[in-house]
Amino acid sequence: MANKDQGSDKVAIAKRQARAQMRAQERRTAVIWIVIGVILVGLFAALVAYIVRQGDVTAVGSGDQSTPAVASENYGFPVGTTGVVGEALDDSRVRVDIYLDYMCPICGIFEQTQGPTLDMLREDGTADVYYHPISILDRASQGTEYSTRSASAAALIAEESPEHFLDFTKAMFINQPAENTAGLSDARIQEIATSVGVPDDVTAKIPDHAYSSWVRSATEQASIDGMKGTPTVAINGVMQDPQSNPGDLNWSTEGALLKFVQDAAST
């Protein structure tokens, strides 16, 4: 009898251990599914947030597209002595091409430090300045394609409100967003345009992104022409690359842009 009782006890203990192991496994499984559920909820929330954010910006380039007639053959907006795109130009002057991206922080520094020099050279008839708004930093605006949207707005203003193009460009850099943010909304770009005097009927077209395809073509052409990044300066059609060619213009050196253009004008 003792052996039989001992055998029964062992069976009972084994059953209890098996049930305990099953309950433990069930608890582990439940925890795993809870964790998975939390992860899925988080991913879903992130997806919803992304969709909402994308919904704030009309799909760039989805509507009718336009080409600015005022642009040069290499996609620049020429500005002469009057400060109005397409006016008071003279082929005998030094030609200065500026390649810029409104998201580019170094372009912001360029505008702050070299903008007054360009204005002086342009106003005194030494140079005509061709501005090339391009979009190499769309990847740095969380999917909103800020570089393309802002350049499209600039092209619109150059075409339909050319006397306000320079002021718009300066104001866009004053209000420049940081890289790797969503950039400025179309509504904010409209506010900036209005603040520099762009008429309401023109600012109303900014969310149409009607020049986005042209901006992409301008960006491709800039690369073909030898632009390696922004800002880039070209003097009389020659891209300046001081890192590769020590004799080229290094605009970050104080007074270098002024001297380089004046020297070009005297030769």
Side-chain angles (χ1 to χ4, degrees):
M1 286 292 293
N3 290 336
K4 183 177 180 180
D5 291 340
Q6 289 176 354
S8 299
D9 291 341
K10 289 180 180 180
V11 171
I13 292 171
K15 289 181 177 180
R16 286 196 297 272
Q17 290 175 341
R19 285 195 295 268
Q21 289 174 352
M22 290 178 62
R23 286 194 295 267
Q25 182 61 42
E26 290 171 353
R27 286 194 297 270
R28 285 193 295 270
T29 301
V31 169
I32 290 171
W33 279 110
I34 290 171
V35 171
I36 291 173
V38 170
I39 293 172
L40 290 175
V41 169
L43 290 174
F44 180 75
L47 176 62
V48 170
Y50 176 79
I51 292 172
V52 169
R53 186 170 65 244
Q54 293 298 97
D56 291 338
V57 180
T58 304
V60 178
S62 61
D64 293 337
Q65 294 296 291
S66 302
T67 297
V70 73
S72 66
E73 73 285 348
N74 71 334
Y75 297 84
F77 295 118
V79 184
T81 54
T82 62
V84 178
V85 175
E87 290 188 4
L89 303 165
D90 188 334
D91 289 341
S92 67
R93 299 173 187 150
V94 177
R95 173 168 172 162
V96 180
D97 288 75
I98 307 297
Y99 295 82
L100 59 93
D101 187 313
Y102 289 111
M103 178 64 96
C104 162
I106 308 302
C107 295
I109 294 172
F110 179 90
E111 170 58 33
Q112 180 181 5
T113 60
Q114 308 303 314
T117 297
L118 289 174
D119 288 342
M120 182 182 70
L121 291 167
R122 178 181 51 72
E123 290 168 359
D124 70 11
T126 302
D128 290 334
V129 183
Y130 288 65
Y131 292 87
H132 298 253
I134 59 174
S135 57
I136 63 173
L137 289 175
D138 274 339
R139 56 181 166 71
S141 58
Q142 299 182 1
T144 72
E145 297 188 47
Y146 174 70
S147 294
T148 295
R149 291 188 295 110
S150 55
S152 175
L156 167 69
I157 292 168
E159 180 72 7
E160 298 195 20
S161 188
E163 68 274 22
H164 296 112
F165 172 80
L166 283 183
D167 287 340
F168 174 75
T169 289
K170 295 177 190 298
M172 287 291 283
F173 281 120
I174 290 172
N175 294 276
Q176 186 180 46
E179 280 187 287
N180 299 311
T181 67
L184 304 179
S185 67
D186 287 343
R188 179 61 182 136
I189 296 173
Q190 288 176 298
E191 290 175 358
I192 292 171
T194 298
S195 74
V196 299
V198 178
D200 291 344
D201 62 328
V202 179
T203 61
K205 300 176 185 178
I206 287 176
D208 296 339
H209 311 138
Y211 294 90
S212 57
S213 291
W214 179 87
V215 169
R216 295 185 182 104
S217 296
T219 305
E220 292 173 4
Q221 186 61 51
S223 179
I224 292 170
D225 291 342
M227 183 216 65
K228 296 180 179 179
T230 55
T232 289
V233 180
I235 305 295
N236 288 331
V238 179
M239 295 284 186
Q240 300 299 300
D241 183 8
Q243 291 185 339
S244 301
N245 305 301
D248 281 1
L249 167 66
N250 184 352
W251 62 264
S252 64
T253 300
E254 185 175 358
L257 176 61
L258 176 63
K259 184 178 186 306
F260 202 96
V261 174
Q262 288 176 335
D263 288 348
S266 65
T267 57

